[in-house]
Amino acid sequence: MKFSRLKRKLGGLLGLDSYYWENRPNGLYCLNFHRIGSGEDTPFDPCVFSCSTNELDNHIGFIKQHFAVISLTELEQLIKSKSPPTKRYMCLTFDDGYVDNFTNALPVLKKHNVTASFFIATGLVGNNTVPWWDKIAYLIKRYKPSEVILSGWNQKIIYSGNQESYIRDILSAVKLCKYSANEQILEIERELSHSTGYPDAEFMSWEQLNTLLAEGMEIGAHSHNHDILTKLTDDELFYELSHSKALLEQYLPCQVTAFSYPVGNKSTYNQKVIDGLRNTGYQIAFNFLPGVNISPSNSPYDLHRFPIAPEADEAALKNMFSYTGKF
Ligand SMILES: [Zn+2]
């Protein structure tokens, strides 16, 4: 059992939850959202939904009460100052650039008068591209195969009655496979005899991104094609980092100095990726691993972010912030 999980269990047993919450350290806390709304309404991947609009409203209210919400600009200043955080700071981040960030999240953020940052995979803007995870989820929902096995996989995945966890398991197998997601999609399409295309993609337009900026929000890059960066050649890696930044700066009135790693776990970035970010003019980068950043200036390209799961209540949030590791 990992130490943080053991500590959480013991803390609960010994009645120390509120002690740990009250005494959570100063540092940078970051939250990462993806889609906002209901996963039941989309033809695509339901597992990308972080919370409903109402839940977002509650979460932001709670965060404002207990943390000092700062922008990326303020975070970069904090990092440059090299001084340890003297407060519990919070950065609110959204990855991928789904249109519900504009329709559902923006009104809530404006209501609470907080700045959030949106990390955009530029290959998904303004061209109706459906990303690989949404294509696979769509195919599973439409054709309902009872099991899936692809040539690069070790074992088949069998439907056990819960469509969401079935989709999640299939997407995990796709991520682990040595073949690219696009190659795997072609194989699934062939297996299911799919030849009729996909519904319209659900991403923000350049115009909507411009409005986000005009409303005081900030924009970062999330690569161009949302590929796993450690699987790329040097040239492909350079393209993903530089082209996404260049496009954002070409179409939007902003300087892009922040990045979030696609997928974001430990296997999806390394020193070569970090060197690439530094050389392309990025100042900070976020992973998708939970944890409190006690000294963000020590690892500005390895900033940890907490996930948000649907139906997380206040107690779950407090628990998450209290017991997760420090970096
Ligand atoms: Zn992403």
Side-chain angles (χ1 to χ4, degrees), residues 32 34 48 95-98 119 121 133 222 226 260-264:
N32 187 213
H34 287 88
V48 205
D95 276 10
D96 296 340
Y98 279 99
F119 290 85
W133 59 91
H222 191 44
H226 206 285
S260 79
Y261 302 109
V263 182

Side-chain angles (χ1 to χ4, degrees), residues 8 95-96 121 131 136 147 149-150 187 197-198 230 252 258 275 280 295:
R8 184 180 305 206
D95 276 10
D96 296 340
I136 290 171
E147 58 180 50
I149 171 85
L150 299 185
E187 193 179 341
Y198 292 87
T230 46
L252 304 172
D275 292 342
T280 356
S295 323

